[in-house]
Amino acid sequence: LVDWDTLSLGDPHYDIGRLIAHFLYLAGRKRLSTKAVRTCINALLEGYEGQIEWKIDRVCLLWHIAAQVLLRGKISSLRKLPIDWQDHLEFVVAEAEWLLEGCSEYVPFSLLSQSFISM
């Protein structure tokens, strides 16, 4: 399914970051295997980079992923207010911090090596 609610011309890092962030959110909430998540993200990035004529800016992408993880948590926790909504917010805030510090357990090391902290 394609969700057209944010359709616009802009930074392509936003699109790929939003997709990865949604996957990270599901992975964290459903306790998916970190190895499987990394493998999927690597496959997505390799496939995407094989189709574009420019190089992905890893720092920019991490920023977009972290911002979208936080947004995903806000949206999910406020929709139906699940019984564990506080856990949703706790996860997304922690995951955003781990992304920006370069130590997310879900994101491939090749992406994390370009984190904000290593700059």
Side-chain angles (χ1 to χ4, degrees), residues 20 24 34 37-38 41-42 45 62 65 95 99 102-113:
I20 292 171
L24 288 177
T34 56
V37 173
R38 285 187 188 140
I41 292 172
N42 269 331
L45 291 175
L62 277 173
I65 295 169
E95 183 62 22
L99 282 162
C103 59
S104 169
E105 65 179 310
Y106 293 110
V107 175
F109 296 117
S110 61
L111 187 57
L112 292 175
S113 66

Side-chain angles (χ1 to χ4, degrees), residues 84-103:
D84 60 345
W85 68 270
Q86 297 96 337
D87 295 336
H88 290 236
L89 293 181
E90 182 180 330
F91 169 76
V92 298
V93 169
E95 183 62 22
E97 181 179 1
W98 295 327
L99 282 162
L100 297 176
E101 289 184 1
C103 59

Side-chain angles (χ1 to χ4, degrees), residues 43-81:
L44 173 68
L45 291 175
E46 287 174 12
Y48 186 74
E49 286 183 311
Q51 298 298 313
I52 58 176
E53 297 177 2
W54 51 277
K55 184 119 175 100
I56 292 176
D57 179 335
R58 304 290 200 207
V59 172
C60 183
L61 179 57
L62 277 173
W63 185 90
H64 279 289
I65 295 169
Q68 290 299 319
V69 163
L70 290 170
L71 183 59
R72 183 76 212 137
K74 178 199 75 99
I75 291 169
S76 295
S77 64
L78 296 178
R79 278 196 178 148
K80 297 178 186 173
L81 283 176

